[in-house]
Amino acid sequence: MKIHEYQAKAILAHHGVPVPRGEETSDPAEAPAIAKRLGTSVVVVKAQIHAGGRGKGGGVKLAKSPDEAERIARDMLGMTLVTHQTGPEGRVVSRLLIEEGLQMTRELYLSLVLDRAAGKPVMMASAAGGMDIEEVAAATPEQISRVYIEPGVGIVPFEARQIGFAIGLDGPQVNKFVKLATALYEAFVATDASMVEINPLVVTAAGELLALDAKMNFDDNALYRHPDIKDLRDLGEEDALEIEASKFSLNYIHLDGNIGCMVNGAGLAMATMDIIKLAGGEPANFLDVGGGANAEQIRNAFKILMSDKNVKAVLINIFGGILRCDVLAQGVIAAVKELGVPVPIVIRMEGTNVDEGKGLLKESGMNFTTADSMGEAATKVVELAG
């Protein structure tokens, strides 16, 4: 789950991470009063969407007076902001963060993420802040410093100092960085975050360190422990089909292709998407119905697949373990009858009651295409989608 910048900064500030003063609003008429309360000669008006690259897209602007802050706010609210992370369709801006202007001398990068291969959180930092960290990692990976943190110990001062000196901070600044890094790790652990990113972390003219921007992602599986964080979810920033799928405990991610995928198990779903690509096709989605799916979930999954007008064919790839192949076949037949699915359907299944499942599909009289292997299924569905 993602949240907005202003929400992330509130969480980080609660744990002791220094952030600029600012206020959120969705009413441009409030902008002048906010600018006056901040009391700085310049304020920054920032669009709040779940995507990076806002500044390049016109979503971050300086205002030198309260009246200018209102004018910018009126222009920005309701605009469709297109960045390299939104795709060409962009995102509609419905919230703004208005912050105090700062005199900055340096822009740094700092983040915490879970390294699943190492089984540990890793803190990453770079002197090249304010840039796309992917570009820095590709072009000059030596500019990124990393410290792996033992979960049972947490970050210790010498590790934070190591990072601080590596990104070029001086002695007094390193001491401030140790406190900031410790607070950042505490926020990361306390909220069950999967990622915290500060880009840029700025050094002000007065030598202070502040999180000028902040992103936080959270582990969906831990949200039951954090109802306050769950309440921060902004459905307007999420794909409508993904929201609908979550209501039925379906794991769905919308993609740009034309072949709908229905699979049980995340690993098999990723392998299915890969083999479609290998066969020359483009998957329209990632859809994991889960190992224990029933006929009702199959019907709901089909409904979601068919809501994507780009889907020209569907590939169902099931390994019948907990979900028996005959139950899958019953669900598919019922769904196609009810929804009148207009596109070709290729089915490949193996496992428990596979012969019974294939028999049901054959006896249904419907125009299903079956396959005995993943490669055969992928080839057939790419041909049908073309």
Side-chain angles (χ1 to χ4, degrees):
M1 180 185 130
K2 299 179 181 179
I3 59 174
H4 289 293
E5 174 193 1
Y6 77 92
Q7 296 167 325
K9 284 180 172 175
I11 292 172
L12 295 181
H14 175 73
H15 289 274
V17 177
V19 301
R21 294 179 300 120
E23 297 181 33
E24 176 267 342
T25 183
S26 55
D27 183 356
E30 294 179 352
I34 293 174
K36 289 176 183 177
R37 283 196 293 272
L38 293 173
T40 51
S41 58
V42 173
V43 296
V44 186
V45 184
K46 308 174 79 173
Q48 299 296 283
I49 61 170
H50 289 177
R54 293 169 297 163
K56 296 176 183 177
V60 179
K61 294 189 175 181
L62 300 179
K64 297 180 180 179
S65 70
D67 289 341
E68 188 178 8
E70 180 177 6
R71 179 182 61 77
I72 292 172
R74 289 192 183 279
D75 290 342
M76 201 174 286
L77 281 166
M79 73 179 286
T80 299
L81 181 56
V82 179
T83 79
H84 68 284
Q85 290 188 7
T86 64
E89 69 277 6
R91 296 275 176 84
V92 176
V93 178
S94 58
R95 290 180 174 81
L96 302 175
L97 173 61
I98 301 177
E99 283 190 335
E100 62 178 328
L102 298 168
Q103 288 187 319
M104 302 174 293
T105 60
R106 293 191 64 195
E107 295 186 12
L108 310 169
Y109 175 89
L110 180 64
S111 70
L112 261 169
V113 67
L114 181 63
D115 187 321
R116 298 185 184 277
K120 300 175 183 179
V122 57
M123 182 172 284
M124 296 186 292
S126 175
M131 298 173 59
D132 293 331
I133 196 63
E134 296 85 0
E135 294 180 11
V136 177
T140 53
E142 68 278 1
Q143 292 190 30
I144 300 176
S145 299
R146 297 175 176 84
V147 167
Y148 287 86
I149 302 168
E150 291 295 337
V153 178
I155 190 165
V156 292
F158 88 86
E159 292 174 325
R161 282 197 296 271
Q162 177 183 329
I163 295 176
F165 283 119
I167 58 178
L169 297 176
D170 61 28
Q173 291 169 355
V174 166
N175 291 335
K176 293 173 182 176
F177 181 82
V178 170
K179 293 181 180 178
L180 186 151
T182 302
L184 188 71
Y185 182 74
E186 289 175 356
F188 179 83
V189 173
T191 59
D192 286 305
S194 56
M195 186 273 288
V196 182
E197 182 180 63
I198 299 174
N199 188 25
L201 171 69
V202 298
V203 181
T204 69
E208 300 298 323
L209 274 66
L210 291 176
L212 193 65
D213 194 3
K215 293 185 180 71
M216 292 188 79
N217 292 355
F218 303 94
D219 185 346
D220 291 353
N221 295 316
L223 286 178
Y224 73 94
R225 298 198 294 207
H226 305 282
D228 54 330
I229 293 176
K230 191 174 183 179
D231 288 342
L232 300 179
R233 184 181 182 187
D234 185 351
L235 296 180
E237 288 289 317
E238 298 182 28
D239 186 281
L241 293 179
E242 293 179 17
I243 295 170
E244 186 68 15
S246 68
K247 296 177 183 177
F248 305 110
S249 300
L250 299 169
N251 297 310
Y252 176 91
I253 298 172
H254 182 257
L255 301 172
D256 296 328
N258 63 355
I259 297 174
C261 306
M262 185 190 302
V263 191
N264 65 330
L268 185 59
M270 289 187 285
T272 301
M273 288 167 31
D274 285 345
I275 205 163
I276 288 172
K277 293 277 288 185
L278 192 64
E282 291 291 337
N285 63 272
F286 169 101
L287 175 56
D288 171 17
V289 298
N294 53 37
E296 179 66 11
Q297 280 183 301
I298 299 296
R299 185 183 72 84
N300 290 323
F302 256 112
K303 197 171 180 180
I304 290 165
L305 286 180
M306 290 301 99
S307 296
D308 183 353
K309 302 305 180 187
N310 292 327
V311 169
K312 304 302 180 186
V314 174
L315 172 57
I316 300 174
N317 187 13
I318 298 292
F319 180 78
I322 301 171
L323 172 59
R324 303 195 321 262
C325 293
D326 57 330
V327 172
L328 166 74
Q330 291 167 358
V332 169
I333 293 166
V336 172
K337 283 182 177 177
E338 179 183 344
L339 301 174
V341 178
V343 300
I345 299 170
V346 178
I347 301 174
R348 179 263 179 180
M349 54 185 177
E350 288 291 346
T352 307
N353 292 357
V354 63
D355 292 334
E356 290 88 336
K358 289 181 177 179
L360 289 169
L361 294 175
K362 188 175 182 180
E363 293 165 7
S364 70
M366 296 180 178
N367 189 26
F368 296 119
T369 300
T370 59
D372 294 323
S373 70
M374 287 177 61
E376 181 189 356
T379 300
K380 287 182 176 180
V381 79
V382 169
E383 289 175 356
L384 292 168

